[in-house]
Amino acid sequence: MRGPVASTPTAYPGEVLPTPRDIRIRAAALAWCEQLRARWGDHVPAAEARRFPFEDGSIFLYGQQGIFKPRELGDGPLSIRTSLSGPYQDEVRDGGESIRYDYSPRPAENEGLKRLAAEMTPVVYLVQVKPKPAPEYMIVAPAFVLDWNDAARTFEVSYQPAAVAGGAEELRETSVLEKRYGLQVLRARLHQAHFRKEVLSAYRNRCAVCELRVRPLLDGAHIVPDSLPGGDPVVQNGLSLCALHHRAFDRRILRVDEDYRIDVDPAAIHARDAEARRALLDHRGARLVLPPRRELWPDPERLRRVLGA
Ligand SMILES: [Zn+2]
């Protein structure tokens, strides 16, 4: 049995209408997620995301269960959360149009999500992108439950409400670009978040140039950009770089040859800029700090391609 696909939501049996307070709570959660993303990007520390402020107190954003409803909320679950246990490719459905999410073992949570789908009520989708003990999440908010499949026991979750993604033919026509855009952003965010996790872990959470170990300032930098052939999200196409050295690498102020030697363009640096000399020029001629595992070292062929480009 498939869920609602009509452009007008059909009332789900057992409908629970949100109270004004329910609506305020959900809106506060979405606003909080927006702030978290502005501050932390797609790597929000779990400790920061755990609770959101509401009126004089705070409310849990997610819980132990994957599908979570805080006790303060009456109309249905607030968030769904993945762990790192499965291969992430499974999250994005064929064609990259939405995400599959497994049913909860608790029927009440599944019924709640189906209700929200019928009412096009947004939820918060948290994707774990770093393991314990200090997990990090990519947060997609608002997210919408589009549909479900009782046989496969999966929900279909998207950036877009059901009326746009699965609705009337004319709606589908006019929204196709917007839809594609939103979903590509989602897929790109998922790829990038997992890529960063793999790259940082290979480099033991330090910058390959300066060995900075402040994780929120580290990026998984692509050697060959992901928009080009060969720009796959594999560790061998990545470098763990701090924000400064990542930008310098992308701007070709800092280059790395196929023997992992660092070069810096002196023309980019003012002679009397002591800080730029220390942060950039002093690394000239040094070798990258490489992963302990040889098979995770950057691909020399890709480094050569970028140098020659
Ligand atoms: Zn650095």
Side-chain angles (χ1 to χ4, degrees), residues 207 209-210 242 245:
C207 173
V209 174
C210 68
C242 70
H245 291 128

Side-chain angles (χ1 to χ4, degrees), residues 2-38:
R2 302 284 284 174
V5 290
S7 57
T8 46
T10 47
Y12 183 77
E15 181 179 24
V16 181
L17 286 175
T19 64
R21 184 177 151 87
D22 286 339
I23 291 170
R24 288 206 310 278
I25 290 175
R26 212 172 274 278
L30 295 178
W32 176 244
C33 291
E34 218 172 286
Q35 287 180 39
L36 287 175
R37 195 179 172 208

Side-chain angles (χ1 to χ4, degrees), residues 6-296:
S7 57
T8 46
T10 47
Y12 183 77
E15 181 179 24
V16 181
L17 286 175
T19 64
R21 184 177 151 87
D22 286 339
I23 291 170
R24 288 206 310 278
I25 290 175
R26 212 172 274 278
L30 295 178
W32 176 244
C33 291
E34 218 172 286
Q35 287 180 39
L36 287 175
R37 195 179 172 208
R39 180 161 173 211
W40 296 99
D42 284 336
H43 318 279
V44 183
E48 298 281 331
R50 195 85 171 90
R51 303 181 75 103
F52 61 97
F54 183 71
E55 292 175 354
D56 291 336
S58 66
I59 294 176
F60 280 113
L61 182 67
Y62 64 89
Q64 294 300 315
Q65 315 85 359
I67 302 174
F68 174 71
K69 186 186 88 62
R71 60 184 166 78
E72 293 87 347
L73 197 57
D75 65 338
L78 176 62
S79 64
I80 59 180
R81 186 169 61 96
T82 68
S83 63
L84 274 178
S85 51
Y88 78 97
Q89 284 85 355
D90 289 353
E91 292 164 7
V92 181
R93 285 164 56 97
D94 298 339
E97 299 209 334
S98 56
I99 297 154
R100 241 183 272 109
Y101 193 84
D102 286 343
Y103 274 22
S104 165
R106 300 147 62 110
E109 317 296 10
N110 300 327
E111 294 303 303
L113 268 195
K114 290 177 184 180
R115 268 200 319 267
L116 297 184
E119 290 150 25
M120 286 193 281
T121 304
V123 294
V124 173
Y125 177 49
L126 298 107
V127 185
Q128 190 179 348
V129 293
K130 178 179 175 288
K132 288 177 180 175
E136 289 172 359
Y137 289 99
M138 179 184 123
I139 301 180
V140 179
F144 297 89
V145 179
L146 298 186
D147 200 356
W148 61 84
N149 184 327
D150 280 334
R153 294 183 60 78
T154 54
F155 289 103
E156 192 179 336
V157 181
S158 169
Y159 250 138
Q160 305 283 349
V164 173
E169 199 59 43
E170 62 273 21
L171 256 176
R172 203 164 18 219
E173 283 304 313
T174 54
S175 70
V176 78
L177 277 179
E178 189 189 8
K179 174 185 167 193
R180 194 161 288 162
Y181 180 67
L183 294 167
Q184 281 182 352
V185 167
L186 178 55
R187 165 169 264 198
R189 283 176 62 190
L190 272 170
H191 270 295
Q192 183 55 31
H194 285 275
F195 176 68
R196 176 180 184 269
K197 167 178 68 85
E198 299 296 331
V199 171
L200 264 56
S201 152
Y203 286 76
R204 296 179 301 161
N205 299 302
R206 55 194 84 195
C207 173
V209 174
C210 68
E211 298 195 73
L212 185 89
R213 295 180 66 179
V214 184
R215 190 180 164 92
L217 297 182
L218 294 178
D219 297 333
H222 285 82
I223 296 172
V224 175
D226 53 0
S227 54
L228 296 179
D232 321 61
V234 293
V235 174
Q236 295 82 356
N237 187 38
L239 292 171
S240 172
L241 293 176
C242 70
L244 173 72
H245 291 128
H246 185 186
R247 182 68 70 86
F249 181 75
D250 284 352
R251 299 284 187 271
R252 312 286 173 85
I253 292 169
L254 184 150
R255 295 159 180 261
V256 178
D257 73 14
E258 62 204 68
D259 298 317
Y260 309 122
R261 290 282 157 204
I262 298 165
D263 194 13
V264 174
D265 178 6
I269 289 159
H270 195 283
R272 289 207 301 271
D273 186 346
E275 177 55 25
R277 283 210 310 278
R278 189 195 61 73
L280 291 163
L281 219 47
D282 283 0
H283 295 289
R284 213 176 173 190
R287 194 163 187 258
L288 282 185
V289 181
L290 293 165
R293 285 172 57 193
R294 179 72 179 81
E295 68 271 25
L296 298 179

